Structures are given as C-alpha cells and as structure tokens.
Amino acid sequence: MKPTSMGQAVLIAAAVLYLVSVFFLSSPIWMGFSLNALIIAVVALSWNVTGGFGGLFSFGHAVMYGTGAYASAVLQVNYGVNAWIGLVAGIVAGAVMGAFIGAITFRFGLKGSYFALVTLAFAEVMRICASSFAFTGGGAGLQVKLDPGISTLQFQDRTVSYTLLLLVVAAVMILTAVMKNSRFGAYLIAIRENEDAARALGIDTYRIKVIAMAISGAFGGLAGVLYLQTMLYIDSTVVYGNAISVEALIGPLIGGAGTVWGPLVGTLGLHLLGEGAKHLLSNAPGLNFVLYAVVLICALRFLPQGLMGFAARIGPFRKKEEDDDNA
Amino acid sequence: MTHHLNRRSLLKASGALALASGLAAPSILRAQAATVKVGILEPLTGNLAYNGTQCVAGAKFAVEALNAAGGIKSMGGAQIELVVADAQSRPEVAAAAVDTLVEAGVCAFTGATASSLGLASTQAAAKYNLAQVVSIGTAEAMVERGLPNVFRFTPGVNKCTTVALDNLRLLNEGAGSPVKTAAIVHEDGPFGSGMAKILNERLPGIGIEVVETIQHPTPQRDFNNIALRVKASKADILIPSNYINEYTLMAKAIRQQRVELMAIYSILGGAASNIKFVRENNEVAQYVMDCNHWYDPQKPASVALAENVAKAGLDLTYDVMVAYASVQVIADALERSASDDREKMIEALAASTFDGSIMPYGPTKFVNGDNVNSQPVNTQIRGEKIELVFPKEYATAEAVFPMPKEG
Amino acid sequence: MSSLILPAVLSGLTMGAIYALVALGLTLIYGVLHIINFAHGSLLMLALYAVYFLHFYLGIDPYIAIPIVLPVFFVLGYALQRGLIAPMSSGSETNVLLVTLALSLAIDNLALYFWTSNTRTIDIPYAYDTVEFLGAYLPLGRVIAFFAALAVAPVLWLFMEHTRLGASIKAVAIEKRGAEIVGIDVNHAYAVCFGIGTACVALAACLLLPTFYVTPQVGYTFVLVAFTTVVLGGMGSLPGALVAGLLLGVIESLCGLFLGESLGQIGIFLAFILILLFKPSGLLGRGVKA
C-alpha cells in the first residue's frame, strides 16, 4: 500500500485529503457526490482483483454488483430478513456468482476478449431474469422499506453513512493489499504475466482464477448492497445495467490497474471530472459528457499507464524497475 | 420542425425567461424585486432525456407566464427563478442532484419523469424537508412511503387504469358493446406491469375478456411477432402501454400484419398523445385513443401555452403540460406561504386547494401525498390533431368508437 | 401458436440480417485490429441521423442515400482510426477500449445536444408495404435488408481474399511485424479496415431507417446484439457474422414467441454463452486468440 515515488505519495495524499475534507466542507453537493463515488470505488476495487491483478478483463462486473443488491433486497423485501443478514447474504451471493462464472468460463478455457464478452452476456442474462420474475419484483424492481436505524442499516445522517463507507473502502483496500502480498496474490500476478509459465511452475491456475473471481464477486456484491442501503430501491437496469460494468473497469484503468490505490484514485478523479464538467456546462446537458470524454481521451494519451503509473515516474524513492506496480 | 429552428427557439425561450426574471431588462426590473428559486429535477441526458427535456421546457413556460403576470405577489412581486438539475436518467444521480438544488437554495422542486428517479429524489429531499411536486411518477410506490415532502399532482397508475376502464366501459356500452375481447401489450417496467395487472383483474368486470397479454422490454426491436400474436388472438381491441419508440414500431407492425381491430385504446401510451407521432405516422395514428395526462385545452393559460410551444418549435406533449402545472402548484403555495422557507412550503402544499392549473382537475387535495382530485383524460387522434374526447365537460370532439372500417 | 412459428422464423431472419450487417463491420475491425470497438453503436446512430437528414432536407430516399453515406462514413472511420484512436491509445489495447468508450460517450451526447432526444422516423411512401411469402407478411424494408446482407458478406469476403488491399489487411491482421517488414503501411491498413467497418454500419443504417427510428440512444439497441453476433460467428469471420446474425434473429424471435418478449431476450445470451463454452472459437472461427 506504500507509495513508491514522490508522485504517488502526492496523488495518494491528495485523494486522502479530499476524502477527509468532505467532513469539513459541510456542502450537501460534495457529500452526495462523494457517497456515490465511494460506492463506485468499491466496484472498481472489485474489478481490480480480477482485471488488475489477474489480467482477467470483465465487461460485465455489474453481474456481481446486481447479484449482491438483489440477494439482499429479495431477502429483506420478500422474507423480512434483517438488513445485516442481507449484507452478508449479498456478499456471499456476489462471491458465489463470481466463482460460478469463473468456474465454468475458465473450465472451458475462455480468456481475453472472449472472457470479457461472456461476463457481459452473464450480466445481461441476470438483468433479463431480474426484470422477468415475480420474486425479484419484475420490471417494477424492489423497494426496501424506509426505516432508518442501525438494525436496518439505513442512516439518516449522511456523515454517518459517509464515515461507514470510508471504513468499508479502507477495509477493502487493506484486504486487497493483504491479498496482493500473499502467496495467492503472487500466483495471481504470475498468471497475469504468463499463464502457461505459471502452470508450468505447478500453480493450479484454474483454482487461483476461480478464487480471484470469488473475491472479486464478494467485493462487487458488497458494493451492490451498499447501493441498495443508500438508495433503498433497485431495478434490473440500475444494478445489472451496462453503466455499472463500465464504471467498474474505467476507474482502475485510469487510476492504475493492479495497484491498491489505483481504483480509488481513478474513480475519485473521474467522478470529480464528471462533476466538474456538469457544473461547468450546467446549461448544456450532454456537453458535460462530451467534455468528460475529451479529457478522458487526452488523459489516455498522456497517461497510458494510468495515474498511479504516471506518478510512479515522478521522483521515485528507489531506483528499481520492479517498483512499478508496487503501490 | 428542424433542429435549427428548435434550438434557436429554445434559446429564444430561455432569453425570454432571462428577460422576464429581470436579469437582462432593466425596464421591468423592480427596485426591490427579490427572486425566489424553484427547482426542476429531470433526466436531460440518458435514455429518458426526451421526456425530461420536454418537462423543463414546460416549466420554463410556466415560470415565464407567472413572472410576466407579476411574480409572487405576497412576496412583493418576487420573480421566480428556475434552477434546472439533470438526473442523467440514473437514480443515484437524481439523489445527488437534490443536493445541488438545496445548495442553490430552492424552496421546492418538481420532477422527475420516471418512478425510479422519483423514488430516489423524494427520499433524498426528505432529508432536507424539501418538497417535491411529482410531475410524473405513476408507480404507486411513490406515495406509499409516507414521506411528508412528496406531493404527486398527477394521477398514478391505479387511478389512470381505473379511469381508463370506466371510460372504456362507457364508450363500449354507448356503441352497443361491440367489444368483447382485448389484447394487452405493455412495456415491462413499473408502469406497464402495474397497469397490466390491474387490467387483467378488472377487464372481465366490464364484460371484456383478456385474450392475450404480451409484455416486452424497452427497447424492443421487432414488433412483428407481437402483432401476429395479437392477430391470432382475434382480440377486438388492443390496449397498449409503452414508450414512443416502441409504440411507433408497434403501430407499423400492426398495419403491416393486417391486424383488424375495432380500436386501439392505449393507457399512458407514449405516442397516442404525442403530436409528433401523429405527424410522422399519420395514417396509422388515426382514431387511436389514449388515456393519459392532458391539459384542459380551453383554459386561457392552456391556449397561451399551446401558442408559445408552437412558437418555440417544440411539440406539445403531456410532459410539457404536467411540468407547467406543477410549477403553477408550487407558485400557488409560494403565494400562500409568502416565504421561501422549505418547511413552510411543505405546509402550504399540504394545505393546497389550488384549482387554477391548466390541468382538468378539481381543487388540489393531497392525501398522503397523492392529489385525490387529479384525473387522466381520454384523447383521440383525428386527422392532424389530438382531440380531448373524455370527460365530456372538457371535450373538444366527440369520441369515435369503434373506429370506422377502412373502405 | 404453432401457426406463428413460420412467420416468426421469417421475421427473425429479416431482423437477423440487420444484426449481421451491423456485426460485419464490427467483426472486420476486431479481426484485424483486435479491438472491441465500443463506438460502433454510436457510429450506427450517427449514420442513421445522416440518412434521416438527407431525407428530411433533400428528400433523398434512404436507399438512394447509400452511395452518398457509404463513402462519407468510410472516410469518417478512416479518419477516426488514423487521427484519434491510434494516436490517443498509444498502442495499448486497453487504452483503445477506453478511447472507443469515450468516443461513444462523446458522439452520443453531441447528438443529444445538437439534435435533441426526439424520436425521429421518416415518412416514405412504401413504409407499410409488405412482401407476402408462404402466407407471412414481411415488411418490404426488412426483406431488402435481408438480401443486402446476403450480398454484402460475400462481397466483403471477396475483397479480403482476392484484392491486394484485402491481402495486405489480412497480412497485418495475422502478423503485424512481418507485414511491416515487407513494406505494408500498417497504419493505413488499420485505418482502411476501420473505414470499411464504419461504411458497413452506414449501410446498415440506410437499410434500417425505413423500418426503424433514430434517437441519440439508438446505438445501444443494437450494439450488444452486434457483439454477440461477432463472437458467435467467430471473431473476425465475415461469413460467421452473417450466419450468426441470422441465427440470433431466429433464436430471438422464437424465444420471444414462446417465453414472452421480455424473458425471450435471454435466448440470445444463453445461446451465446453456451456456444462460447463449447466452441469458444465461435461458429465459423478459426481458433481462440486471447
């Protein structure tokens, strides 16, 4: 988790400073915006496990997010189950979904673009199912009863929600760091670099990849539950839609895939860009997205390795090649 | 209509708005004319952009008219300033947009076209005690949460479907009950599914058997199968409920597959009350009926609105009307509360008996946030126009039911 | 219900032809550049607007518009690849993906800003004409699209197999370095390929508009199915895209008939997942490339 260069230290400090400053800004806009950004950061961290460390590109990460959200919502709405149990169920459901998709796609040897598009198809299948069956509320979606309280995991005070979200993001990042530095993480990175070589070294690549999908799914499911508990309403397009899948991958890729801080830095950066564009062009809805896209394209031109990769080159603490993805 | 005209006139409209709000015209700027801010939260980008943009246009016309008429008199002629926020067709953005409105200092706001957006925004606004006058939010969940800041001015899906059924019964009986069977085609979102459920329960009660119910997603690319199933069901009438794109494709397929129907009777249909559909698909649009939100075309404000909308090169859709009326409701509450305090606005809205809106409603009465005196009306496409055919006291034309057989 | 099966199959075939047309360009771009072009749907939307405005302002019939729109979109595609996608992505495949994503966001929202979110349809004299075949009524526009797809796929295939330019594009696709060494202008070949892919989508637009509508969001209506078609047919395989498109059209139509239109959509994706699992190279693909 430690930065490897001056640049990275500055970038991380800026992100932390921003997150802390939300407490003192007492601005509803910043609060609401940061809440949304943090939930997306969890999805981004989820994508990062498989996409960043494992090199397993998914275009359908909404499948984990949606499954987590729906699992909790179905239990709460249809069976009156407590929201905390719903939270656990959502995480487990996400993990199971991730493991399931991993188990069958990797069993059949899918990788690269094929894996990416199959995850997309899985997200679509789940979206269609969720909007077609009665127990998921069909097209009308599911609505959790508004009832603020600790036992219902709904918080009236947004500062409380924000604090808890920060803790969740921190926990997920610590888990990511632990994973990265574990034997498992080393195997996963080895698979990303060269799967055949990893297998030749005796790594059970199939097992490692499925476990990675399960971990990613757990994080994704967690993010879905966080969304549900914030918005209290989900429908199939909202949680299984393409928008989430895109947000899941774009943050890590811009921030720096396969790093601990990258997904958070990237997501915050992109959300700030989006918010800034919205305020700058509030009289021309649509043009804000154009500005966002233009800045994004330019960023890609100048930061091909993502923000963390770029920052790693500024004032490195140690002059070693291998430090590149060490943050 | 060209996109040039369209944009230029929009600019003109907003220019007029700036003029009216006293920003650019010293001649009508009063010495102490304060402004009071009213919000509008609509999806201006994303897949609901059409409806949201139409709503904002309607609200702008309302603000323009109210300001020209002297603003809020109880507040010394304060001019209304409209604060527009984009919900981007995403619930979490809708919720965050409420923060923008609060920070801008609005006293109340209107929105938000889709129930999923409305659920998110009302809940977010509740934390600020900020009133939301719901322009369109047909799902009943909108008013079932007991939030004190929710004021749904227009009818929900239950009332729309009930009224549509009553009117259908009257029409059918008036024609000697020729209609015995119906096919329902609906989009699979909240409003379509809710409607289909009620229809299936209640149509038999008015002597009409449901022979086919088909739900489809949005977007749906192909309507040939649906048309064929309706044809095979030999239904006398078709009751659709979907958005304009799907409605357009469906209307074409119905014709191409030579489906013989006595009537097309849509409920909250996206196209049958949309003049653009009438213009671009005039042949298939004839005699299509819709039970939907619609204004009372005979009120002076309605006539003026229709003129202004035409002048701006826009299409007069129900979105324009309900947003216009919602701003009227908020202005009336402002007039009575004489304050832009958020809590006072909630009180004023809760006590509203406003009957001066452009909608064909009785005096406003919010019970648990639902305006019990709202009602949908029936429209029918005749030639180049959309005529109001039901209820009788507002009608501009006699209903033609069933539709005449083609010669 | 059984009397509807034949019309449903025919209807599915004509819809599938549109999927095939949209997918042809996508598969060509994937096969050569190895990129998943997320802007494909937006380019389809742009082409639909082009066809719409040609009809609206100049009264040009969508079919007559083909010789106008095709070259314009070829140039547009060529310029996009050469001037934007290639230089901005710095050669990284991940970045190409992000550039096309951002491009799609920009195009969609520019369309929203300039042309508003109004649904537009064109009024043409033959809009309601149908062709009667085996007792089923098929919309004329869709029948034309069907035969056009049948004609275009072989033409493209012939171009790739039997022309010098086609051969050099293939060479670049198979072995970029090697092609460079023998003196092929790789950047030019890539851009030509992107241009042809974009022209394909423009052709699809000309054939689609008479029976469809255009809004800034319309690309999304087709893009997922197009991706599915590409993978199903075997990424990069032109005949594969044609067969897969038609097959998906029929699957969708029959599933819609038997499972309902909402749940029926699942058929496309289940077929997609199953075929990928058991034959990852797609129906007519050569082998899995990571």
Side-chain angles (χ1 to χ4, degrees):
Chain A
M1 260 180 123
K2 270 187 249 139
T4 60
S5 75
M6 227 17 225
Q8 285 196 347
V10 169
L11 206 56
I12 291 167
V16 173
L17 196 69
Y18 166 75
L19 290 172
V20 173
S21 74
V22 172
F23 285 109
F24 304 100
L25 281 173
S26 67
S27 152
I29 295 185
W30 284 122
M31 182 54 92
F33 154 81
S34 307
L35 282 169
N36 285 347
L38 284 183
I39 293 174
I40 296 299
V42 178
V43 196
L45 285 161
S46 153
W47 188 92
N48 191 41
V49 174
T50 41
F53 295 109
L56 307 163
F57 256 68
S58 142
F59 290 168
H61 243 60
V63 73
M64 330 267 197
Y65 183 81
T67 302
Y70 264 105
S72 173
V74 165
L75 287 176
Q76 288 187 62
V77 175
N78 295 349
Y79 303 101
V81 171
N82 177 279
W84 287 90
I85 299 172
L87 168 71
V88 176
I91 296 172
V92 172
V96 170
M97 178 55 81
F100 169 73
I101 293 175
I104 61 170
T105 54
F106 299 141
R107 176 64 70 205
F108 289 93
L110 292 189
K111 46 184 156 177
S113 315
Y114 291 89
F115 173 73
L117 290 168
V118 157
T119 53
L120 183 66
F122 270 107
E124 274 300 290
V125 166
M126 293 305 291
R127 184 185 63 78
I128 294 161
C129 287
S131 67
S132 300
F133 297 120
F135 78 99
T136 52
L142 285 174
Q143 194 189 349
V144 173
K145 201 165 160 281
L146 178 66
D147 179 17
I150 293 174
S151 66
T152 53
L153 208 56
Q154 297 173 21
F155 303 97
Q156 193 68 18
D157 184 353
R158 291 204 298 180
T159 314
V160 178
S161 308
Y162 181 72
T163 313
L164 292 175
L165 262 178
L166 269 186
L167 292 176
V168 170
V169 170
V172 172
M173 283 173 65
I174 290 168
L175 285 175
T176 305
V178 169
M179 184 198 84
K180 185 186 162 201
N181 295 323
S182 68
R183 183 179 293 260
F184 169 79
Y187 288 166
L188 192 57
I189 292 170
I191 289 171
R192 177 186 70 192
E193 297 305 323
N194 189 336
E195 183 162 358
D196 292 330
R199 200 177 297 115
L201 288 173
I203 298 174
D204 184 350
T205 57
Y206 175 75
R207 194 168 143 263
I208 296 290
K209 288 198 290 185
V210 171
I211 294 175
M213 283 293 282
I215 296 173
S216 178
F219 290 170
L222 168 66
V225 176
L226 295 175
Y227 179 85
L228 171 72
Q229 295 304 127
T230 317
M231 290 296 154
L232 302 180
Y233 168 81
I234 53 169
D235 71 22
S236 59
T237 323
V238 168
V239 294
Y240 279 124
N242 251 332
I244 291 298
S245 296
V246 170
E247 292 224 63
L249 66 91
I250 197 168
L253 289 179
I254 289 296
T259 65
V260 176
W261 284 92
L264 178 69
V265 170
T267 304
L268 284 180
L270 286 168
H271 274 243
L272 278 171
L273 171 62
E275 191 73 6
K278 202 167 96 183
H279 285 279
L280 211 61
L281 292 166
S282 62
N283 291 322
L287 284 193
N288 54 328
F289 288 109
V290 178
L291 178 65
Y292 175 91
V294 169
V295 175
L296 184 59
I297 291 174
C298 294
L300 288 169
R301 175 74 184 83
F302 298 109
L303 312 169
Q305 305 297 315
L307 283 166
M308 291 298 276
F310 173 75
R313 298 216 183 85
I314 303 171
F317 293 145
R318 282 163 295 163
K319 286 197 190 293
K320 263 193 202 167
E321 282 286 298
E322 74 219 28
D323 285 349
D324 252 23
D325 60 6
N326 244 1
Chain B
M1 188 204 59
T2 72
H3 69 282
H4 266 302
L5 242 180
N6 207 345
R7 286 204 42 237
R8 201 182 308 139
S9 11
L10 251 181
L11 285 175
K12 237 189 264 169
S14 48
L17 178 67
L19 272 172
S21 57
L23 288 172
S27 56
I28 58 162
L29 187 72
R30 273 162 244 214
Q32 71 281 49
T35 58
V36 53
K37 287 177 180 168
V38 171
I40 179 161
L41 170 57
E42 292 288 350
L44 303 175
T45 50
N47 55 1
L48 296 165
Y50 178 69
N51 301 85
T53 311
Q54 289 289 95
C55 281
V56 169
K60 282 186 175 165
F61 287 121
V63 169
E64 206 177 313
L66 288 160
N67 284 342
I72 306 297
K73 288 169 194 87
S74 69
M75 296 172 73
Q79 298 278 295
I80 299 171
E81 184 189 333
L82 197 65
V83 181
V84 183
D86 179 11
Q88 295 180 1
S89 310
R90 293 176 62 175
E92 67 275 19
V93 180
V98 171
D99 301 320
T100 312
L101 292 177
V102 169
E103 208 147 291
V106 303
C107 63
F109 70 104
T110 171
T113 287
S115 301
S116 60
L117 303 177
L119 285 169
S121 66
T122 47
Q123 184 184 317
K127 293 188 174 157
Y128 296 108
N129 285 324
L130 178 65
Q132 174 172 1
V133 175
V134 178
S135 51
I136 299 167
T138 39
E140 298 303 333
M142 290 289 294
V143 290
E144 281 168 355
R145 293 197 289 183
L147 292 175
N149 63 320
V150 182
F151 301 95
R152 184 170 69 184
F153 185 58
T154 52
V157 66
N158 287 355
K159 191 188 281 173
C160 287
T161 313
T162 309
V163 170
L165 281 168
D166 291 347
N167 290 351
L168 179 59
R169 185 177 55 83
L170 287 174
L171 285 167
N172 197 26
E173 284 173 359
S177 299
V179 172
K180 307 262 185 280
T181 54
I184 302 168
V185 173
H186 66 93
E187 62 95 37
D188 60 9
F191 94 85
S193 331
M195 184 210 75
K197 200 167 148 235
I198 302 170
L199 280 180
N200 267 300
E201 284 162 13
R202 299 201 200 149
L203 269 173
I206 62 165
I208 296 175
E209 186 198 347
V210 179
V211 287
E212 184 71 281
T213 304
I214 307 167
Q215 70 164 8
H216 65 77
T218 307
Q220 164 88 5
R221 291 174 288 262
D222 181 17
F223 272 87
N224 274 319
N225 280 345
I226 293 178
L228 286 169
R229 278 175 69 183
V230 171
K231 189 179 183 183
S233 77
K234 299 208 164 44
D236 295 327
I237 65 165
L238 170 63
I239 305 183
S241 189
N242 38 27
Y243 294 100
I244 178 165
N245 296 347
E246 280 67 33
Y247 197 100
T248 308
L249 295 180
M250 183 184 71
K252 278 192 180 165
I254 291 283
R255 176 157 181 123
Q256 283 165 336
Q257 298 304 335
R258 296 159 173 71
V259 185
E260 306 256 339
L261 294 161
M262 286 188 199
I264 298 179
Y265 187 88
S266 83
I267 300 178
L268 297 173
S273 47
N274 186 325
I275 194 72
K276 199 174 151 55
F277 172 75
V278 178
R279 211 170 39 231
E280 290 180 351
N281 305 275
N282 195 265
E283 261 179 89
V284 289
Q286 290 310 309
Y287 300 108
V288 170
M289 269 194 196
D290 193 11
C291 185
N292 211 327
H293 315 288
W294 203 252
Y295 69 171
D296 174 358
Q298 273 137 5
K299 289 191 179 170
S302 305
V303 176
L305 173 64
E307 274 172 18
N308 286 333
V309 168
K311 242 186 273 169
L314 295 171
D315 290 319
L316 184 60
T317 59
Y318 66 83
D319 317 85
V320 175
M321 301 168 185
V322 294
Y324 187 101
S326 300
V327 171
Q328 286 183 310
V329 173
I330 293 176
D332 167 72
L334 268 170
E335 199 67 77
R336 283 181 293 107
S337 74
S339 151
D340 61 359
D341 180 75
R342 296 200 293 252
E343 303 204 7
K344 289 209 178 108
M345 280 300 287
I346 289 186
E347 284 167 29
L349 280 166
S352 181
T353 54
F354 181 57
D355 62 356
S357 88
I358 58 169
M359 303 304 278
Y361 299 170
T364 305
K365 189 181 173 200
F366 289 112
V367 176
N368 296 325
D370 197 13
N371 180 8
V372 292
N373 287 330
S374 66
Q375 61 167 346
V377 301
N378 277 32
T379 55
Q380 186 169 37
I381 297 169
R382 304 278 278 279
E384 300 288 319
K385 283 161 88 178
I386 297 173
E387 303 282 5
L388 204 164
V389 294
F390 244 84
K392 283 274 179 280
E393 62 261 45
Y394 303 108
T396 55
E398 190 79 21
V400 175
F401 185 95
M403 60 176 143
K405 287 242 187 278
E406 278 177 63
Chain C
M1 202 67 102
S2 62
S3 66
L4 295 183
I5 292 177
L6 180 67
V9 168
L10 292 173
S11 171
L13 280 173
T14 59
M15 199 68 215
I18 299 281
Y19 300 161
L21 280 168
V22 178
L24 278 175
L26 201 56
T27 204
L28 193 63
I29 293 171
Y30 183 84
V32 177
L33 284 77
H34 307 295
I35 59 173
I36 296 176
N37 176 18
F38 273 106
H40 204 67
S42 305
L43 290 170
L44 174 69
M45 177 270 293
L46 214 53
L48 282 166
Y49 271 109
V51 181
Y52 173 84
F53 284 122
L54 282 175
H55 178 266
F56 189 87
Y57 286 117
L58 305 171
I60 296 174
D61 184 273
Y63 298 111
I64 311 288
I66 293 175
I68 306 169
V69 180
L70 247 60
V72 170
F73 273 75
F74 172 81
V75 173
L76 175 71
Y78 186 97
L80 274 179
Q81 166 62 23
R82 193 108 202 222
L84 191 76
I85 297 173
M88 286 304 180
S89 53
S90 325
S92 142
E93 282 184 20
T94 323
N95 287 355
V96 172
L97 172 92
L98 292 180
V99 170
T100 59
L101 259 179
L103 191 61
S104 140
L105 190 67
I107 296 176
D108 290 358
N109 285 285
L110 280 173
L112 177 72
Y113 183 73
F114 285 110
W115 303 322
T116 75
S117 45
N118 278 357
T119 298
R120 295 165 199 259
T121 51
I122 54 171
D123 199 1
I124 37 174
Y126 50 85
Y128 303 110
D129 289 0
T130 50
V131 176
E132 200 177 344
F133 181 69
L134 299 175
Y137 297 113
L138 299 166
L140 177 65
R142 297 254 295 268
V143 175
I144 295 174
F146 177 75
F147 286 107
L150 287 191
V152 170
V155 167
L156 269 180
W157 183 80
L158 283 174
F159 165 78
M160 291 296 279
E161 299 294 321
H162 294 285
T163 65
R164 182 176 281 269
L165 190 56
S168 65
I169 291 176
K170 266 180 66 183
V172 172
I174 296 164
E175 183 48 65
K176 186 180 160 192
R177 271 296 141 70
E180 247 165 6
I181 293 168
V182 299
I184 295 173
D185 182 347
V186 172
N187 289 333
H188 177 69
Y190 275 177
V192 166
C193 178
F194 207 94
I196 295 173
T198 312
C200 284
V201 101
L203 177 65
C206 296
L207 297 166
L208 181 60
L209 194 62
T211 55
F212 217 70
Y213 56 83
V214 55
T215 71
Q217 297 280 324
V218 76
Y220 295 100
T221 314
F222 288 92
V223 77
L224 267 188
V225 186
F227 278 135
T228 316
T229 310
V230 168
V231 182
L232 202 55
M235 288 182 165
S237 163
L238 293 169
L242 178 64
V243 173
L246 297 178
L247 182 67
L248 282 178
V250 174
I251 290 176
E252 178 185 47
S253 186
L254 289 178
C255 286
L257 194 61
F258 289 107
L259 302 174
E261 300 293 335
S262 288
L263 190 55
Q265 297 277 313
I266 215 172
I268 288 186
F269 297 102
L270 281 183
F272 173 73
I273 291 171
L274 288 177
I275 292 180
L276 257 196
L277 292 182
F278 293 105
K279 191 167 187 311
S281 54
L283 292 174
L284 301 179
R286 294 199 189 90
V288 183
K289 263 183 247 136

